[in-house]
Amino acid sequence: MASVLINDTTLRDGEQSPGVAFRASEKVAIAEALFAAGVTALEVGTPAMGDEERTRIQLVRRHLPTATLMSWCRMNAGEIRQSADLGMDWVDISIPASDKLRQYKLREPLAVLLERLENFIGLARTLGLAVCIGCEDASRADDDTLRQIASVAQEAGALRLRYADTLGLLDPFATDNAIRSLRRDWNGEIEMHAHNDLGLATANTLAAIRAGATSVNTTVLGLGERAGNAALETVALGLDRCMGLDSGVDFSQLPALCQQVAEAAQRPIDAQQPLVGEQVFTHESGVHVAALLQDRESYQAIDPALMGREYRLVLGKHSGRQAVDGVFARMGYPLNALQIDILLPAIRRFAESWKRTPKDYELIAIYDELCGEPLRQVGG
């Protein structure tokens, strides 16, 4: 397998983050930005939410006629028909896979649900929809239950099974075992749907691919219920760097895409958010900076240019003499050894007092105060 399908669910599961509600214009704009970034398969919503949601799903279809769009449905004939009417390519029919969810959610035995599932798959196929069976809470289901679901789904003509770690309980080793077990009973596509409750959603997603999954669900910035889902940006680059697999994603588009989604969701991007956070290509440590001034690959495994970004050196509490010299040289100002010795402790005090690194103009102000004369720029 040389490539992996990313079926992004920012517009469905991502929007289920408490307090996140995309306007129609935002939903369409995010879908278009995802498509422009190379994510051509999107789970765009839940028809059962009502007329407004269905209108928004239809708008996405209209603006992205060549995208592969999926809706999420319960085992409900009306919702499946609505999906077809909205022009969906795929429908994800969700079935509670664990005993606990079947007991408390539907209160029906597995045999009854499987009979209904067979009928709904047949209905969806008659309407021209490709079918994914969403095994909700699969990580708490026993192998025999998943085997029975797979058997019914295969006989009825479903093309994909979604293995949902709904509560984010798995680790990569358990994920590997689970997907390998499912693969023995299912010849079709397997889609991994990971939640991040233990901070392992990306790792579990990559483990699922290694074990035989063919597609994955992601959300931009890892939006989603509780601790969120597997983040599009880390999954896409992880597939590329760790496994040599192509997802079709244009990495240079991701920072702007993440900013767009963050603004629509009214969620700030953490400064250390992998790949897209403000500080992830910023270096302060004296040892690191000294090495980076000689060779940028010494402390950077990922070239920031891949993400359309640049690396940055800053001064702070952990800076050394070479860092001070290098940062001032970058600004076009030469320093001698005595000036460096005077400035370094002052910069460290600034960082400790203000809880941040000084900006360029503040560095110059520190010099003016301590060295007694304005710092002269080279060539000035």
Side-chain angles (χ1 to χ4, degrees):
M1 185 172 65
S3 63
V4 172
L5 174 70
I6 290 183
N7 182 23
D8 187 83
T9 186
T10 300
L11 299 176
R12 198 276 298 178
D13 212 2
E15 196 181 19
Q16 290 180 193
S17 300
V20 173
F22 299 134
R23 299 184 181 95
S25 59
E26 292 169 334
K27 191 155 188 162
V28 171
I30 291 169
E32 290 179 323
L34 281 161
F35 190 80
V39 183
T40 58
L42 308 173
E43 188 174 43
V44 291
T46 306
M49 286 181 61
D51 291 341
E52 285 191 10
E53 177 72 355
R54 289 191 289 272
T55 297
R56 294 173 185 195
I57 292 172
Q58 202 164 36
L59 279 172
V60 174
R61 173 80 287 170
R62 191 178 308 154
H63 281 79
L64 293 175
T66 60
T68 301
L69 302 186
M70 173 186 281
S71 63
W72 186 96
C73 295
R74 298 168 296 185
M75 290 195 294
N76 181 289
E79 295 173 23
I80 294 170
R81 290 193 179 92
Q82 288 168 347
S83 297
D85 292 341
L86 293 169
M88 296 296 97
D89 303 290
W90 282 79
V91 61
D92 178 76
I93 303 174
S94 180
I95 179 172
S98 68
D99 292 341
K100 183 175 288 292
L101 282 196
R102 285 197 306 279
Q103 178 182 353
Y104 290 105
K105 196 171 184 178
L106 297 182
R107 295 182 178 84
E108 288 186 313
L110 179 62
V112 173
L113 291 180
L114 291 177
E115 183 177 350
R116 290 173 56 200
L117 182 65
E118 182 178 11
N119 294 331
F120 291 133
I121 295 171
L123 171 63
R125 293 186 64 206
T126 298
L127 295 170
L129 294 164
V131 179
C132 172
I133 300 304
C135 300
E136 186 182 13
D137 204 22
S139 49
R140 290 196 295 177
D142 59 61
D143 288 345
D144 184 61
T145 297
L146 293 174
R147 190 177 300 115
Q148 291 182 64
I149 293 173
S151 177
V152 169
Q154 189 160 296
E155 287 294 323
L159 299 179
R160 183 185 300 170
L161 286 185
R162 174 180 291 175
Y163 187 98
D165 182 20
T166 303
L167 299 186
L169 301 172
L170 294 179
D171 60 57
F173 308 101
T175 301
D176 183 277
N177 290 335
I179 298 301
R180 289 184 190 278
S181 177
L182 182 59
R183 177 52 77 197
R184 288 192 289 269
D185 299 311
W186 173 257
N187 295 323
E189 301 176 29
I190 296 177
E191 183 164 273
M192 183 64 193
H193 183 93
H195 279 263
N196 204 39
D197 296 73
L198 295 175
L200 294 171
T202 293
N204 289 341
T205 298
L206 299 183
I209 292 297
R210 192 177 294 279
T214 53
S215 66
V216 297
N217 290 142
T218 62
T219 61
V220 176
L221 293 172
L223 284 179
E225 297 172 276
R226 303 183 314 278
N229 292 35
L232 167 65
E233 53 277 12
T234 55
V235 168
L237 195 56
L239 289 169
D240 177 82
R241 289 304 176 90
C242 301
M243 305 179 71
L245 296 174
D246 180 30
S247 64
V249 172
D250 180 351
F251 302 119
S252 67
Q253 301 274 346
L254 294 180
L257 171 63
C258 289
Q259 186 60 47
Q260 179 180 353
V261 171
E263 290 173 1
Q266 291 292 288
R267 296 287 182 90
I269 299 177
D270 188 88
Q272 291 186 300
Q273 180 87 12
L275 302 177
V276 296
E278 181 183 357
Q279 293 184 2
V280 296
F281 296 114
T282 300
H283 301 271
E284 176 192 315
S285 169
V287 174
H288 289 197
V289 170
L292 284 163
L293 289 169
Q294 302 298 318
D295 181 355
R296 291 188 181 184
E297 293 185 0
S298 57
Y299 279 98
Q300 284 187 168
I302 300 167
D303 184 352
L306 182 68
M307 305 292 295
R309 302 184 63 185
E310 297 179 350
Y311 89 106
R312 191 164 62 104
L313 303 181
V314 297
L315 298 178
K317 183 175 181 179
H318 305 95
S319 296
R321 299 180 82 259
Q322 290 186 62
V324 173
D325 190 31
V327 168
F328 274 91
R330 172 183 55 77
M331 294 190 295
Y333 296 105
L335 295 177
N336 59 41
L338 178 59
Q339 289 169 329
I340 293 173
D341 289 340
I342 293 172
L343 290 171
L344 182 56
I347 291 167
R348 289 174 173 171
R349 287 193 297 271
F350 180 101
E352 189 171 307
S353 297
W354 292 93
K355 306 299 182 184
R356 63 175 175 83
T357 60
K359 302 182 187 303
D360 287 356
Y361 74 88
E362 291 169 323
L363 291 173
I364 295 172
I366 291 172
Y367 177 93
D368 289 344
E369 179 183 350
L370 296 180
C371 297
E373 62 181 37
L375 194 60
R376 296 189 181 276
Q377 188 169 8
V378 173

